[in-house]
Amino acid sequence: MTNRIWRLTARPQGTDFASALHLVEAPLTDPAEGQIVIRNALLSMDAGTRMWMSDRTDGYQPPLDLGVAMSGLVIGRVTASRHAGFPEGALVRAFGQWGDHSVVDPVMAGAVRLDESVADLRAWFGPLGMNGWTALWGVERTGAAQPGETVLVSAAAGATGLLACQVAKLLSCTVWGLAGGPAKCAALVSDYGLAGAIDYKAGNVREQLAGAGGVDVYFDNVGGPLLDDVLVSMNHYGRVAVCGLVADYNTGTRTAPQEFDQVLMRRLRIEGFFSPDFMHHGPELTERLLGWYDAGQLDLPYDVTRGLENTLVAYGRMLSGANMGKVIVELEQ
């Protein structure tokens, strides 16, 4: 039996993914002892995977080797198993491969069995998945947001950013968003109840930030020049929770704040965090998020592209910010 996979054949330059990733057919191997085979139904498009394609060796995990299948979060059913905890037919989420099937060690892949009573499987990527976990952890733990404080979120119309905005509101914070374009900014205020939204594409970000009256917690998904704009807008003893640096991913640049002296002047704390840091807290994070989700207090739009062959289109939409909410590839079943 064969398996279509997206193979990483070169290090992408900028956004030229078509020169670095190719859809090929490869043999679908039987699972080794302790492994499972997943028939992928959904693929998650996540900005952090862009760094995995580079040759950087100083990241939170080693770069992918050339010639391997591209990795990412998948949801699907187990079709073959040599692991007692994941029988055939089980619905699972795991770090698998961009392909029709994923062959993984469930422990190493962070696989979890999913509750099928949740009607929309996509929620296990978004509100109940890594995006939700990251939003809750970053706002409450890393950012240490307190009721009544002002929380600012960059990439606020993206999957993690939009959930971070909603989590901060649920924690009784005043929430502002940074997003690109008037349509996204209008939606953040009218549809999600943010106190304000700042269109970074319109320029004059520092002047626009003045309307927030000072920021206590900055949930940063972007880095780059926006970080400078925010540092000079922080309240004393503010916290910056660094979730992502998407401004650097395609350019190969490194965020180097010119306003770094504000960390001292305003007694700021800056801390980065990654999902591997809190994977073991997954069940408790999911329980809290599920309560909000079932109550209709967490909402996430989905930007769905159909067909494995169109994965790079979806990936490009996510990294360019053309989407609102969570970008997913839906595979034919």
Side-chain angles (χ1 to χ4, degrees), residues 6 13 17 50 55 81 83-84 97 126 129-130 132 137 150 175 189 208-209 221 225-226 236 263 307 314 333:
W6 280 97
Q13 301 300 309
F17 301 111
R50 176 63 180 86
D55 58 3
S81 176
H83 190 291
Q97 293 89 42
M130 293 298 179
W137 190 272
T150 296
V175 186
V189 174
Q208 293 187 68
L209 275 171
N221 289 301
L226 280 179
H236 280 64
V263 176
Q333 297 295 296

Side-chain angles (χ1 to χ4, degrees), residues 110-170:
V112 294
R113 294 182 64 175
L114 302 178
D115 180 356
E116 298 194 43
S117 69
V118 176
D120 191 344
L121 291 184
R122 301 173 301 182
W124 290 110
F125 278 153
L128 308 179
M130 293 298 179
N131 296 125
W133 291 6
T134 302
L136 178 52
W137 190 272
V139 171
E140 186 176 59
R141 301 290 190 92
T142 308
Q146 301 299 311
E149 289 191 320
T150 296
V151 175
L152 174 69
V153 180
S154 60
T160 298
L162 190 50
L163 289 168
C165 289
Q166 294 174 76
V167 166
K169 278 196 65 186
L170 287 164

Side-chain angles (χ1 to χ4, degrees), residues 5 19 29 37 80 96 101 129 132 157 171 176 181 227 230 237 254 280 295 303:
I5 59 170
S19 296
T29 60
V37 178
H101 296 82
L171 297 177
W176 283 67
L227 181 57
V230 176
Y237 307 104
R254 302 289 181 95
H280 56 294
D303 186 303

Side-chain angles (χ1 to χ4, degrees), residues 19-329:
S19 296
L21 288 153
H22 297 89
L23 187 61
V24 301
E25 289 192 353
L28 179 61
T29 60
D30 293 328
E33 183 63 35
Q35 289 186 328
I36 60 174
V37 178
I38 304 168
R39 176 68 166 104
N40 298 332
L42 301 171
L43 307 181
S44 176
M45 301 288 102
D46 298 294
T49 58
R50 176 63 180 86
M51 191 166 58
W52 305 354
M53 302 181 196
S54 73
D55 58 3
R56 287 187 60 173
T57 58
D58 60 349
Y60 66 97
Q61 71 173 48
L64 292 172
D65 293 330
L66 296 181
V68 304
M70 182 59 198
S71 296
L73 276 171
V74 307
I75 289 175
R77 291 196 181 276
V78 177
T79 58
S81 176
R82 297 187 67 185
H83 190 291
F86 294 87
E88 291 185 19
L91 182 67
V92 300
R93 181 186 65 220
F95 282 97
Q97 293 89 42
W98 287 5
D100 290 318
H101 296 82
S102 295
V103 181
V104 301
D105 176 325
V107 176
M108 299 300 294
V112 294
R113 294 182 64 175
L114 302 178
D115 180 356
E116 298 194 43
S117 69
V118 176
D120 191 344
L121 291 184
R122 301 173 301 182
W124 290 110
F125 278 153
L128 308 179
M130 293 298 179
N131 296 125
W133 291 6
T134 302
L136 178 52
W137 190 272
V139 171
E140 186 176 59
R141 301 290 190 92
T142 308
Q146 301 299 311
E149 289 191 320
T150 296
V151 175
L152 174 69
V153 180
S154 60
T160 298
L162 190 50
L163 289 168
C165 289
Q166 294 174 76
V167 166
K169 278 196 65 186
L170 287 164
L171 297 177
S172 300
C173 297
T174 299
V175 186
W176 283 67
L178 278 161
K184 287 182 179 180
C185 289
L188 288 172
V189 174
S190 63
D191 298 345
Y192 294 94
L194 270 62
I198 294 159
D199 180 4
Y200 70 86
K201 291 184 177 180
N204 300 316
V205 171
R206 298 188 189 194
E207 289 82 353
Q208 293 187 68
L209 275 171
V215 175
D216 298 298
V217 178
Y218 178 39
F219 190 107
D220 190 8
N221 289 301
V222 176
L226 280 179
L227 181 57
D228 283 312
D229 295 328
V230 176
L231 287 177
V232 299
S233 305
M234 297 288 294
N235 289 328
H236 280 64
Y237 307 104
R239 288 82 67 198
V240 179
V242 183
C243 178
L245 299 168
V246 72
D248 297 348
Y249 293 157
N250 287 328
T251 62
T253 58
R254 302 289 181 95
T255 292
Q258 294 181 347
E259 304 287 359
F260 189 78
D261 66 335
Q262 295 303 302
V263 176
L264 174 61
M265 304 308 172
R266 297 169 191 253
R267 289 70 140 183
L268 306 178
R269 175 170 63 82
I270 300 178
E271 182 179 345
F273 67 104
F274 276 118
S275 56
D277 300 342
F278 46 85
M279 291 281 284
H280 56 294
H281 289 282
E284 64 196 70
L285 293 170
T286 300
E287 182 178 3
R288 292 183 64 198
L289 292 161
L290 184 60
W292 288 328
Y293 179 76
D294 285 343
Q297 295 175 298
L298 287 179
D299 176 60
L300 189 66
Y302 297 99
D303 186 303
V304 178
T305 298
R306 291 176 172 82
L308 180 65
E309 64 278 7
N310 297 316
T311 299
L312 298 189
V313 174
Y315 197 63
R317 285 182 58 79
M318 181 271 301
L319 279 177
S320 67
N323 62 294
M324 181 87 178
K326 179 67 181 175
V327 180
I328 290 173
V329 177

